[in-house]
Amino acid sequence: MKIRTRYAPSPTGRMHVGNLRTALYAYLIAKHEGGDFLLRIEDTDQEREVEGAVDIINRTLEETGLVHDEGPDKDGGVGPYVQSERQKQGIYLEYAKKLVEKGEAYYCFCTPERLESLKTVVNGEEIMQYDKHCLSLTKEEVEENLKKGLPYVIRQNNPRTGTTTFHDELYGDITVDNAELDDMVLIKSDGFPTYNFANVVDDHLMGITHVVRGNEYLSSAPKYNRLYDAFGWEVPVYVHCPLITDENHKKLSKRSGHSSFEDLVDQGFLPEAVVNFVALLGWSPESDEEMFTLPELVKEFDYHRISKSPAVFDMVKLRWMNGEYIKKMDFERFYTLAEPYLKKAIARPLDLRKIAAMVKTRIEVFPDIPAMVDFFQEVPDYDTALYTHKKMKTDPEKGLALLQEVRPLLAAQEDFTNDALFEALKAFGEEKGYKTGYIMWPIRTALSGRETTPAGATEILDVLGREESLKRIDAAIEKLSAEV
């Protein structure tokens, strides 16, 4: 049997991390076995649909590499299956009527007012379980109501006694009392199918063998199974994934600021790093390895290793992982991504490529760049205590003396490049009996006004050039002279 999975999002906005994980796991399950991964847009709830959301779904899947395999496209290419288009073909109503004929579903003409009267409060929560009122209507009464054009829905006819058992690959066999199963609506009064009904019909018609979704849908699985049984269809393999929580073990929400794929990309995370990180939110490989490309994930992924325990979205780990991807990145791609952040911080005509090379192995996300390099634009106001360094055995007074000594050497240096400057300062230190750190610390402090920088003194001198470097050293000498 060829494995066929699907990702079936509703177009309601940005793709939540949980939805991305569902898509990723569905993709990996299929591709691990050489199967098919399909995309279906579940837009039956027209009121919740957000304009442009389908484009977001397509763009996210493209950026993450989760390419779907088939689907009707008006231009002859591969597009997603779209439920609203299938609804126009009458597919869902046709199958709902088949259930009515079997006695597994029935027409319901109850008014909103009557349905409102059925609501009760349980444990502070308002619920409504339909009382099967319209199940008692005769065939003639149903036909008469339809002729009158009365608004109706079609409901699933679930038993009130006995139990229903279903199997999940992670949670095993789960049994529920049928008394807990409401007669859910299959076809709404606007003619559109409900999410639950269209989901089952489409999964069968598309030959889906494995259904991957969040464990919040566990409670709906018995109703799905009863629909499969009512039609006489084979039930797919269920894989219900664990909840994703934030660091405080609360459900990851939009308020967290990193709940969607686009949020993370906007914050400077790489798509490949996000995919790698999301794969590990609930799944673990056999080895201790944590860094995986998408093809490597396809090879390694075994859905039986998905945990039932909630997965914690650890931002510290994601930042670390993203930094590792940046370190390994081709420099040209890195520079293309880093350049906007460099230009945001530096307006001077400096060699941004050299500055980019300085930060490549030091940042975790691209927005880290401006704060790391903005001293190239201008030296911030700083405390002269920065010149004190116990290991380098320097302080403001010694720093002042060193800068005054070294300034003429820098002014006379013809080759103002990193290597040449380093050799010149090294020779100067050997002549004076100074250790390299004793020389470089005051120079770097004068040039940057920072305790930490992405590069050493001579690399900064190289980028700033002779004129700007001497200007900054002169300003440091003046500042130190006024305080020492």
Side-chain angles (χ1 to χ4, degrees):
M1 176 185 70
K2 188 174 187 179
I3 288 182
R4 286 167 65 85
T5 65
R6 49 61 170 177
Y7 174 51
S10 297
T12 56
R14 292 187 164 192
M15 190 184 291
H16 188 276
V17 167
N19 291 333
L20 175 59
R21 184 186 62 177
T22 297
L24 176 60
Y25 284 6
Y27 176 88
L28 295 175
I29 288 172
K31 295 307 172 183
H32 182 72
E33 298 292 341
D36 296 328
F37 169 69
L38 311 183
L39 172 62
R40 184 173 73 230
I41 304 299
E42 300 200 333
D43 59 346
T44 57
D45 191 341
Q46 300 283 287
E47 292 182 1
R48 293 181 64 231
E49 184 170 349
V50 174
E51 185 177 354
V54 174
D55 292 334
I56 291 175
I57 292 168
N58 288 323
R59 185 169 62 249
T60 300
L61 294 179
E62 181 181 353
E63 290 181 9
T64 54
L66 306 183
V67 181
H68 57 94
D69 290 301
E70 65 178 55
D73 185 86
K74 60 183 178 180
D75 298 321
V78 177
Y81 290 87
V82 180
Q83 284 188 338
S84 60
E85 295 175 2
R86 294 164 69 77
Q87 188 268 342
K88 293 174 185 176
Q89 301 167 18
I91 293 173
Y92 308 112
L93 183 58
E94 174 191 344
Y95 278 95
K97 287 180 177 179
K98 287 182 179 180
L99 290 180
V100 172
E101 292 171 5
K102 290 184 172 188
E104 298 287 352
Y106 57 95
Y107 288 92
C108 174
F109 300 93
C110 287
T111 63
E113 291 76 19
R114 183 175 189 282
L115 295 176
E116 187 69 26
S117 71
L118 297 177
K119 290 182 178 179
T120 57
V121 177
V122 179
N123 296 325
E125 182 179 354
E126 191 175 60
I127 63 171
M128 193 281 283
Q129 186 171 43
Y130 188 63
D131 60 359
K132 291 183 178 290
H133 174 76
C134 288
L135 180 61
S136 62
L137 294 176
T138 65
K139 186 176 182 180
E140 291 72 24
E141 287 175 317
V142 169
E143 290 177 353
E144 182 64 25
N145 286 343
L146 293 175
K147 283 181 182 179
K148 290 179 181 178
L150 295 182
Y152 71 87
V153 299
I154 296 179
R155 291 182 179 275
Q156 183 180 13
N157 184 16
N158 281 317
R160 286 289 182 263
T161 60
T163 61
T164 295
T165 299
F166 70 95
H167 181 79
D168 177 81
E169 290 297 290
L170 306 182
Y171 294 86
D173 290 336
I174 298 177
T175 300
V176 298
D177 290 330
N178 289 334
E180 298 177 10
L181 305 182
D182 188 28
D183 285 0
M184 69 176 179
V185 174
L186 306 181
I187 301 293
K188 296 179 288 186
S189 58
D190 60 5
F192 275 82
T194 58
Y195 167 85
N196 291 320
F197 183 57
N199 198 283
V200 169
V201 172
D202 280 338
D203 280 347
H204 171 73
L205 296 180
M206 293 166 64
I208 301 303
T209 62
H210 291 63
V211 170
V212 184
R213 57 187 174 221
N215 65 7
E216 65 267 28
Y217 291 102
L218 275 170
S219 61
S220 301
K223 299 176 185 178
Y224 296 155
N225 271 30
R226 297 202 66 84
L227 287 173
Y228 280 106
D229 291 342
F231 281 119
W233 295 342
E234 184 176 353
V235 177
V237 174
Y238 290 130
V239 181
H240 287 87
C241 303
L243 180 71
I244 299 176
T245 71
D246 60 20
E247 291 90 338
N248 298 316
H249 303 287
K250 295 182 179 179
K251 186 176 181 180
L252 197 65
S253 68
K254 292 180 180 180
R255 291 188 297 275
S256 69
H258 51 257
S259 65
S260 79
F261 174 77
E262 284 195 324
D263 288 336
L264 296 172
V265 171
D266 289 346
Q267 290 169 31
F269 291 98
L270 298 165
E272 57 266 41
V274 174
V275 168
N276 190 160
F277 176 76
V278 168
L280 299 174
L281 288 177
W283 171 81
S284 60
E286 290 188 12
S287 68
D288 294 330
E289 180 61 44
E290 292 187 298
M291 305 292 289
F292 294 96
T293 63
L294 186 58
E296 288 169 345
L297 284 170
V298 168
K299 183 179 179 181
E300 294 288 333
F301 196 81
D302 177 358
Y303 67 82
H304 296 98
R305 294 186 62 83
I306 298 174
S307 171
K308 291 185 290 185
S309 302
V312 178
F313 191 104
D314 185 345
M315 181 58 81
V316 172
K317 182 173 181 178
L318 175 56
R319 284 182 62 91
W320 166 80
M321 185 172 283
N322 199 71
E324 293 301 301
Y325 272 88
I326 289 175
K327 288 175 185 176
K328 298 175 182 178
M329 184 182 292
D330 169 78
F331 182 77
E332 291 305 319
R333 182 188 173 206
F334 172 77
Y335 183 69
T336 298
L337 295 172
E339 187 178 22
Y341 296 95
L342 292 167
K343 287 184 174 179
K344 180 180 178 181
I346 305 169
R348 291 177 177 277
L350 302 178
D351 190 334
L352 296 184
R353 293 177 70 86
K354 284 185 177 180
I355 299 174
M358 292 177 183
V359 302
K360 186 173 184 293
T361 60
R362 294 174 177 269
I363 64 168
E364 292 184 321
V365 290
F366 289 94
D368 288 346
I369 292 175
M372 195 174 287
V373 303
D374 58 5
F375 70 87
F376 279 105
Q377 176 63 24
E378 63 179 355
V379 179
D381 186 29
Y382 64 94
D383 191 322
T384 55
L386 278 181
Y387 287 91
T388 299
H389 194 294
K390 291 183 179 179
K391 186 177 179 181
M392 305 302 178
K393 296 182 180 179
T394 184
D395 56 32
E397 186 175 349
K398 292 176 181 177
L400 173 59
L402 186 284
L403 291 176
Q404 290 172 330
E405 274 191 280
V406 85
R407 192 209 185 276
L409 171 66
L410 294 176
Q413 181 71 18
E414 293 185 8
D415 186 349
F416 217 79
T417 59
N418 177 47
D419 290 344
L421 286 163
F422 185 84
E423 289 303 320
L425 289 172
K426 181 181 177 184
F428 167 78
E430 290 172 351
E431 178 186 340
K432 296 288 186 177
Y434 298 153
K435 290 185 176 180
T436 304
Y438 182 83
I439 302 171
M440 301 300 182
W441 185 267
I443 295 175
R444 189 175 65 84
T445 303
L447 297 174
S448 68
R450 293 281 183 80
E451 185 174 2
T452 60
T453 57
T458 55
E459 292 171 287
I460 297 173
L461 286 166
D462 182 340
V463 170
L464 289 175
R466 185 195 317 277
E467 183 180 347
E468 178 64 20
S469 295
L470 293 176
K471 180 180 176 182
R472 293 188 179 196
I473 287 174
D474 287 341
I477 290 172
E478 183 178 348
K479 181 181 184 74
L480 288 165
S481 297
E483 297 187 21
V484 172

